[in-house]
Every structure is written in structure tokens, then in C-alpha cells.
Amino acid sequence: MKKRSILYALVMSSISIMAQQKQITTNTGTPVGDNQNSKTIGQNGQVLLEDIHLIEKLASFDRERIPERVVHARGTGAYGEFIASGDFSGYTRASLFEKGKKTPVFVRFSTVVHGTGSPETLRDPRGFATKFYTDQGNYDLVGNNLPVFFIRDAIKFPDMVHAFKPSPVTNKQDASRVFDFFSNIPEGTHMLTRVYSDYGIPANYRQMDGSGVHAFKWVNDGGEVTYVKYTWKSLQGVKNLTAAEATEMQGKDFQHATVDLYENIKMEKYPSWELYVQLLKPSDFDKSDINPLDPTKVWPESMIPLQLVGKMTLNRVPDNFFQEVEQSAFSPGTLVPGIEPSEDKLLQGRLFSYFDTQRYRIGANFQQLPINASKVAVVSNNQDGAFSTKKGNGDINYEPSASKNGFIDNENYQYSKSSFVNTTTVQQKISKPNDFKQAGEFYRSLNEKEKQNLISNLSGDLKGVANKDVVKKMVGYFYMADADYGKRLAKELGLSREDVEKMFLR
């Protein structure tokens, strides 16, 4: 009798729960009668094509995955807010930098080269992309944890990524391919030095700094231009992993960085960063031994000091990872009045490439998705396309129009002016490339243990390079950055000075 009573209670509990559950429907809201069995000819016959729920369910399942990002595929994200702390109205009319202004943000952290399911312990730059939902529209600050990049011209970006990605023959990443490419790209010496140092494996996303990498233009109400670089400083401090520590962590949890970020936010240990800028007038460009628009270089803080702009705090995790993290879309071309792109050749290419890849990956109307949508009204005549949910404007879908429903532009928001005198179109390297100096300065800034780790990490991959001429050339680049740096690498690789010099005397 007791068993029967327990069974009866379980049945009644189950019925009660079912009574509270929502009716399952098709994608068009039609109630589904049976979500357990397909419609067949008789109990054991063939399945009928007319089972619309079955067809819709399978078709939807087949399309659950959007194309993976070519780069920055492995990532995570969180919401928060940015509070401006300085007054920069003399430099830019961007309202998010007005003192005391609070702006909601969404941040996506990522690795760069590796795929969606790859470990978060791999040696790789980390993406640091911030979407500011400002009262002037969205602004994307799309950068990395490291302040420089491998190349300075977007025309080399596909080649660089191909070299880092798995071989089209073996489907395996191969150091021989990577260094074969970089042995012909001396400008990459600085970034390679940073990536192969312990900074190439951040311990997590909270304890790493960030950088906009490129120079941008700030434009004030008077149309005056000041060039700007952005730096995020982690208030949790900076922590990196050695190669051995990363291997140990990967064996425990290959998605440790995402877990770390989400657990800290859920425990209300909200991670924060301060945003700093460096400001440079166009008239000061010739005072440096580098081209200030070169993304393979940093602006020395001793010459161009950091100035505090504000503080960002992340305090909420997404409700749905796919809708909010995977479908989030960033572009350095998502700008607001008062911020414009500089003439940096890598940035100029990214202005096209990032928008283009999102249209391919997510669709023509990716900016209408909630995660990407502006918090202020979008008023444009762009229309239609897949998944368009934008409300129309009646019969007026063009501009100009004399109708009261027409739209107008505003000359107060015109782009800043650029002047050119006696110039021609060319395909040339930038002036003052100075490929090795800052790589050497970074090497000398490391302590002895960090230098040893760098030599170990770098020589470990170089030993696997089949073409020894490539190895010799790479060692030559690092020697030109710093003699001690090059000598240590050569010794570790069993190369003599003469072996290296021959590569540059041909």
C-alpha cells in the first residue's frame, strides 16, 4: 500500500508540473500535437514528407551553426558599464567621454587563430573587443591584449592567417609554415617577441590588459584632429602562464578562462579595467623615429603619456551564449561622431573586412540582432534582405524628399578634412619602418626568468622548422632587435654567427 501511495504521489506531481509547462509550437506558433513520433504510413511504415513539424525541426537543427569566425572563433563575453572620468571635449565630440557619463557595454574576449572548440591555454594573442551602446549610436573598440600586431598592411592579412592556420595538405599547424612567412616579414619581429614571451598566454581574461592597437582620430567641435591610441589596464593586475603551467591547466580545464570570468561575475567579484589614451597632434609626427600610424609599434609613454579616460566594470553574463556571444559582431568601422579611422594601412583594410565577414557569417541584417542593435533609433533607407525586422518609412525609402516623412542629413557631422599636396598614388612601404628597435626594447624590459622562457618558447618552435635557412634568417631578425637575444637563440639552436650572417650577405 505504501509503494502505491508513493507512486500515486509521483504521478500527481508529474501531472502538476506538466500543467505548468508551456505548449510546444512550430516556429510559426502553431501548437504541436506529438513531439515524440513522426507521421508514418501505419505504425511501421515510411515517414511522410507532409509532417511539417518534423521537416521544420530537422531543417532548423541543420542550420544551428553559423559559419565559424575565420579568426577570433574561440571566445566568451559579458555585459557591464563604462563610466567616463575625464573631460576630453577639447579633443573629441564623442559623448561617451563626457565626464561622469555612464555607458552600457558588451565585451567579447577571444583567442585569435584557433577554432571554436580549441583550448583557451594556447599561445595566441587574445582579442579584447568592446561595444559601447552610446547615446550617439554604437561604438566598437576592437583590439587585442598585446599593443602591437604582426603586419602593417591589410594586403598581407590573409597570407598571415593562412600561415598560422593548419596546412591545407596535413590539416596540422606547422611552425615551418609560420616562420617561412615571417622570415620575409621583418616588421613581425616585435609582435613575435611579445607572443613568445609569457604574455602570449594570459592566465585568464580578467588579468590581462587590452589595446586598440591602431591609432585613431579624435575630432572636436571645431574640426581639429588629434591622433589617439587606447590602452585598457586591468585592475586585477596582469598574470600570465608559462608553457608548463599552460599545459598543466589544459589538462584540468581547457576552457578555464571562460569559467574564471563567469564564476567571478556570478560571485559579484566584478572585473574592472581603466581606459587610458595617448594623444598626439599631427604636427608632432616627425618628432619620433617611428611612423606613429605603424601598428607594429607602441607610442613610448615617456614621450606620449597615458591619460585616464574612465573605468569599465563587467557585471553580467549572457543569458544565451549563442545569441549574445556567437552572434555579437564587431568592427573598427563602427564609430560615433568625434572618432574617425586614421590612415593606418592595416586599419583601413579592417574597415572593410570586419563588416564584410559579419555580413557573410551572420547575414545582411546582423546589426538588427539585439546584441548588435543600437540603443538609439536607427533612421535610414537601407531595407530588406534576410531577417530584416526594421520598420519601414511608408512610401518614402529614398533621400532627399520634400515629404514630411523624409530624412535629412546634418553638416555638423561631416567627416574631418584631409589635405594632400603634390602627391601620387603608390604601392610602397611606410616611411621609418624601424622594424627591430621596439622588439629589442621589449626584450630588455623582461626579467631574466622571462627572457629564459622567451628563448625556450621561441627556440622550441624554431627547432621544428624544416628549412634551416628560414631559421637562420629569423635568428638574424632577433639579433638585430638585441644582440643578447640573438646570441641566446643561436646558441640554443646550434648556429654560429657566420651561419646567420650568410643569410644577409647573399
Side-chain angles (χ1 to χ4, degrees):
M1 180 65 93
K2 189 175 181 180
K3 288 183 179 179
R4 187 176 298 175
S5 297
I6 295 173
L7 180 60
Y8 176 79
L10 289 172
V11 170
M12 293 307 294
S13 174
S14 177
I15 293 173
S16 175
I17 292 171
M18 291 172 65
Q20 298 171 24
Q21 293 176 328
K22 295 179 180 179
Q23 164 71 57
I24 189 170
T25 74
T26 65
N27 286 351
T28 52
T30 303
V32 173
D34 189 345
N35 191 44
Q36 318 308 318
N37 306 290
S38 301
K39 189 175 183 181
T40 59
I41 302 173
Q43 188 174 3
N44 300 310
Q46 288 90 338
V47 174
L48 296 178
L49 193 60
E50 68 178 51
D51 188 339
I52 301 301
H53 176 54
L54 168 69
I55 300 303
E56 179 184 80
K57 194 173 180 181
L58 292 177
S60 180
F61 173 75
D62 292 345
R63 292 161 176 79
E64 282 184 359
R65 300 291 181 268
I66 57 177
E68 180 178 291
R69 289 172 169 87
V70 179
V71 288
H72 296 278
R74 168 55 125 155
T76 192
Y79 293 94
E81 64 181 20
F82 173 80
I83 301 177
S85 59
D87 180 11
F88 290 88
S89 57
Y91 296 99
T92 177
R93 56 189 175 192
S95 66
L96 79 153
F97 298 129
E98 295 172 359
K99 188 173 182 178
K101 172 147 304 179
K102 184 182 296 185
T103 302
V105 299
F106 178 78
V107 177
R108 186 175 186 272
F109 301 108
S110 57
T111 57
V112 177
V113 173
H114 308 285
T116 301
S118 59
E120 292 181 310
T121 49
L122 300 178
R123 185 173 302 283
D124 203 7
R126 300 303 192 264
F128 194 134
T130 306
K131 187 179 295 294
F132 298 84
Y133 299 99
T134 88
D135 56 13
Q136 295 176 307
N138 288 356
Y139 172 50
D140 289 351
L141 178 52
V142 190
N144 291 328
N145 68 311
L146 299 175
V148 295
F149 202 62
F150 296 99
I151 54 174
R152 61 168 67 101
D153 193 317
I155 201 169
K156 298 311 301 171
F157 192 79
D159 299 300
M160 182 203 77
V161 174
H162 289 170
F164 274 120
K165 289 286 189 178
S167 160
V169 176
T170 65
N171 197 38
K172 181 180 180 296
Q173 287 178 295
D174 186 348
S176 292
R177 289 163 37 81
V178 173
F179 289 108
D180 180 41
F181 173 77
F182 280 108
S183 66
N184 300 289
I185 308 290
E187 72 219 47
T189 304
H190 187 184
M191 181 63 164
L192 286 172
T193 300
R194 289 180 180 264
V195 169
Y196 274 93
S197 76
D198 291 343
Y199 287 87
I201 311 179
N204 52 64
Y205 295 128
R206 293 178 305 109
Q207 294 176 290
M208 69 179 195
D209 291 340
S211 171
V213 180
H214 302 285
F216 287 84
K217 292 178 181 178
W218 271 7
V219 186
N220 65 15
D221 286 330
E224 296 174 308
V225 171
T226 303
Y227 287 83
V228 59
K229 276 203 171 191
Y230 299 94
T231 298
W232 291 106
K233 293 284 188 181
S234 171
L235 295 181
Q236 294 70 240
V238 173
K239 183 179 180 182
N240 301 311
L241 299 178
T242 66
E245 289 170 337
T247 300
E248 181 181 358
M249 176 62 75
Q250 185 171 321
K252 294 176 180 177
D253 185 358
F254 72 94
Q255 52 197 7
H256 74 287
T258 295
V259 171
D260 174 86
L261 178 67
Y262 283 11
E263 285 187 346
N264 274 274
I265 291 176
K266 289 175 181 177
M267 291 187 294
E268 300 185 359
K269 296 179 180 179
Y270 302 134
S272 299
W273 289 259
E274 288 182 332
L275 180 62
Y276 292 83
V277 294
Q278 292 171 285
L279 300 172
L280 184 66
K281 289 293 184 182
S283 56
D284 292 330
F285 269 34
D286 292 333
K287 296 179 180 179
S288 173
D289 62 353
I290 62 169
N291 185 321
L293 303 182
D294 182 355
T296 71
K297 305 292 188 296
V298 296
W299 289 358
E301 294 176 21
S302 59
M303 295 175 58
I304 312 168
L306 295 174
Q307 301 184 52
L308 180 64
V309 175
K311 177 182 175 182
M312 177 177 71
T313 301
L314 300 182
N315 53 25
R316 182 166 68 88
V317 301
D319 295 322
N320 184 289
F321 193 88
F322 176 80
Q323 292 178 8
E324 298 165 82
V325 179
E326 285 305 294
Q327 289 194 139
S328 63
F330 297 84
S331 169
T334 301
L335 302 167
V336 291
I339 306 175
E340 297 180 10
S342 73
E343 299 81 359
D344 175 343
K345 288 198 273 188
L346 180 60
L347 174 59
Q348 292 280 313
R350 291 179 72 204
L351 297 177
F352 163 77
S353 180
Y354 275 60
F355 280 132
D356 189 51
T357 194
Q358 305 299 359
R359 293 187 185 103
Y360 163 73
R361 192 176 70 88
I362 307 174
N365 290 301
F366 70 92
Q367 289 147 319
Q368 294 181 29
L369 292 169
I371 186 63
N372 301 318
S374 168
K375 303 300 183 185
V376 298
V378 174
V379 181
S380 78
N381 289 317
N382 298 330
Q383 66 176 31
D384 302 344
F387 308 120
S388 176
T389 59
K390 178 173 166 285
K391 187 177 181 180
N393 190 41
D395 194 46
I396 309 299
N397 60 350
Y398 49 86
E399 193 277 335
S401 168
S403 167
K404 66 178 183 180
N405 291 327
F407 304 149
I408 59 171
D409 51 25
N410 186 335
E411 65 179 13
N412 291 328
Y413 297 107
Q414 289 181 348
Y415 297 130
S416 64
K417 295 179 181 179
S418 298
S419 300
F420 304 94
V421 180
N422 297 327
T423 190
T424 58
T425 59
V426 299
Q427 284 187 283
Q428 294 178 353
K429 183 183 291 188
I430 65 169
S431 61
K432 297 188 286 188
N434 210 341
D435 292 323
F436 307 110
K437 180 182 177 182
Q438 289 195 357
E441 290 172 345
F442 176 74
Y443 173 80
R444 290 187 291 275
S445 74
L446 301 176
N447 61 40
E448 181 56 30
K449 180 59 178 174
E450 290 171 331
K451 288 178 180 178
Q452 291 173 5
N453 290 343
L454 168 62
I455 299 300
S456 175
N457 298 333
L458 191 49
S459 63
D461 275 3
L462 285 170
K463 286 174 182 177
V465 175
N467 187 335
K468 298 309 174 186
D469 284 346
V470 167
V471 177
K472 296 170 188 175
K473 201 169 183 182
M474 291 305 307
V475 171
Y477 290 161
F478 296 120
Y479 183 88
M480 283 186 270
D482 182 272
D484 178 68
Y485 186 9
K487 288 176 181 176
R488 289 197 193 191
L489 266 179
K491 182 179 179 180
E492 190 68 26
L493 295 165
L495 298 175
S496 67
R497 178 176 177 174
E498 291 72 26
D499 291 333
V500 174
E501 287 179 346
K502 286 178 183 176
M503 295 305 303
F504 296 90
L505 295 175
R506 293 178 175 179

